[in-house]
Structures are given as structure tokens and as C-alpha cells.
Amino acid sequence: MSERLTIGQMYPNAVHPSTLQRPTAPKSTGGPEASFENVLQRNMLKFSNHAAKRLEQRGITLGSRQLDQISSAVDKAAAKGSKESLILMKDMALIVSVANRTVVTAMDGSSMKDNVFTQIDSAVIIS
């Protein structure tokens, strides 16, 4: 090393004072409610427009119990590191983007027959 260090000096060259200041955290305008809302939005199961149309076209209705089961299945897939998952229920199949917690498409039992599911890295079977 060709640079000289003196006792009590941490940096070999002059350091601009602005680099020594701590960055200030952005102030949230909503307070604790906004952070709770953000957490809720991140953990809530969503349906894409395509999935909503497919559910309507195929006459599939989901109750609160089924939504809880799907949400739990997404949690399990996320815990295993999945990105795109196939969730199979008794008479329906859902393709879910695990990272976004979004149902991408949905099929009923008759639509699933002779079908090939691509671009998935996991499957969760709900009985």
C-alpha cells in the first residue's frame, strides 16, 4: 500500500461529509394502518381478470372455506420455494403465481380432462 494511514483515521483518502450521514427513512403518511394494509394486501389471495372470467364461464363458485384452503396451499408452496403452482381440489384445478399470491387461471373437472399443465414447478393437492 502506498497510502499513508494515521492513527484515528479510518479512511485513507478524504471522505465527503455527506457519505457519513445516515440515510433517513421515508416517513409514512398513513401510520400503522398503512403498514397493516400493506401486509394484508401482500398476504391476500387475488384473482387475475383471466381467472375471474374462467370461474364465471365454468360456473365455479368458491366459498370462504375453499378460499382458506387455497390460501393455505399457496403458503405451503411458498415455503417450499415454488414460483408457479398447480393446486388441485376435488373438482377443479387452479394455476397460481405464488410470489404474487394470484390465481392465474381456473378449470373445472371436465376442462381438466386430457389437459397438459405447463410452466409450473409444483403441485399442491387439497383433499
Side-chain angles (χ1 to χ4, degrees), residues 47-48 50-52 54-55 58 85-87 93-97 102-107 117:
F47 290 83
S48 69
H50 177 77
R54 292 295 176 257
L55 288 169
R58 294 171 177 153
S85 186
L86 168 68
I87 297 178
L94 306 167
I95 303 290
V96 179
S97 170
T102 303
V103 176
V104 177
T105 193
M107 290 170 226
F117 297 98

Side-chain angles (χ1 to χ4, degrees), residues 20-67:
L20 298 175
Q21 295 176 353
R22 289 186 179 175
T24 57
K27 294 180 181 178
S28 67
T29 57
E33 296 85 22
S35 64
F36 175 75
E37 184 177 341
N38 289 340
V39 170
L40 183 63
Q41 290 297 325
R42 278 194 308 261
N43 292 326
M44 194 166 71
L45 187 65
K46 300 177 262 314
F47 290 83
S48 69
N49 289 334
H50 177 77
K53 287 178 187 175
R54 292 295 176 257
L55 288 169
E56 184 180 334
Q57 286 174 348
R58 294 171 177 153
I60 301 171
T61 56
L62 298 171
S64 62
R65 183 171 178 259
Q66 289 173 317
L67 291 173

Side-chain angles (χ1 to χ4, degrees), residues 2-16:
S2 63
E3 296 179 14
R4 207 175 104 198
L5 291 174
T6 58
I7 297 174
Q9 182 180 3
M10 294 179 67
Y11 302 100
N13 297 327
V15 178
H16 194 273

Side-chain angles (χ1 to χ4, degrees), residues 77-78 80-87 98 119-124:
K80 295 288 186 176
S82 299
K83 293 181 174 105
E84 298 287 328
S85 186
L86 168 68
I87 297 178
V98 176
Q119 298 181 353
I120 61 169
D121 59 8
S122 64
V124 181

